[in-house]
Amino acid sequence: MGLAPSQSAKAQAHGDVWTFNMLYAHAEALVRGYRKSFLTETEYLNLRNASNLGDVRLSLQETDYGNFLQDQLTLSPKVIREAAQKKMADEFKYIRSQACGELATFLDFISYEYMIDNIILILQHTLNNPNGDVADVLERCHPLGDIGESNMRSIASFEPTKRGLEQLFVTVLISTPVGHYFSQFLQSAKNYGENMAGADDAQATLGETSFVMLENFVYKAYLEDFSTLCDHLGGETKMHMTHVLNRAADKRTINICINSFATDLGQDQQMRETTRQDLIPTVGYLFPESFGAIRTVANLEDLTEVLQPYNDYKTLWEVWGDAEGEGGTGNLDDGFYRMEVEDLENCFYGQSHMAVFYAYVKLKEQEIRNLEWISECIIQDRRDKVEKIIPVFDENRRTRGWATAV
């Protein structure tokens, strides 16, 4: 006689072991099948030994990538990256077409990050090159963040005035799933009464400092919403996703501080304590304990002191904090990438949860970075740098391998 599901299991059908397979088993089976598509150690060895990009194409034909480059007459690292991104996006969209209910919402949130990337990319391109080629920037957009070509062209062709920018936010962006984040930023800027609210043109409204604020404000709101969704889903989904989103939020917090040191956001005490502080995510391992201390961080020494109580970040900072040099280990982003890969791989060791979908997309991103890096090393004849790649599901990787210099 079987054990009947509890009332709590029925109430949390989307994240409970009792009913997860009934609702989402097919989609989970798909993503776990895609997990077998990651490049193996032998396949990476073949890529390292390639003498040109034509050999790279031949090597990839023997992998799950197949003939994804067959229509490309001219090869370059950019072409390889874009073709790999399209393949990943097609696989993700197929999984999304098989999803329903809470899983469909979860997958949509994964794609929102790429929508934000695309919108910011188009805005920045348009402001820097008002007469630039729209097609050029659209080609650079990530296929996973597709918001429709008409919307993208409207963003790329907005009138470069304060009123034109407001109309863009209110009429065009609001129709996209992530548009409300941008509208919140515009309203927030007006409430603060900063120069952006009374600017005469878009360039003044989104100057260098303000554009950084826009980007970080939108990503902060997105991370907080995604974290709230995962809390609602509960179960093993919440356990894995809380960890990886906390890491992502802390990485953003650390980078906001580092990038502010050479600007008014970091040099001016009032802006540090108000404007910059409003860009810091209210999720993550640094929140809430170190949230107040971040207000006073004005240089690398202050940041080092704030990170001391957090063993992982303390170690990461000590090993990867120095800028890359001829004999250096790399930079902080390299360390974070290595940490993230280990965390994301761990998501596949559980069952009946949604974090594997997020992990698959992010790990594929890392594999695509590996392909682009190898291609760059080949065409620049810098094979001594190929080893800087971070293979996914590497059987030789040690636990907490990121804590040791390579």
Side-chain angles (χ1 to χ4, degrees), residues 133-148:
D133 186 2
V134 174
D136 177 61
V137 69
L138 295 184
E139 287 180 358
R140 293 160 53 197
C141 290
H142 198 292
L144 207 55
D146 184 22
I147 58 174

Side-chain angles (χ1 to χ4, degrees), residues 4 25 135 205 210-211 217 225 298:
T205 301
S210 294
F211 202 91
F217 182 95
D225 279 359

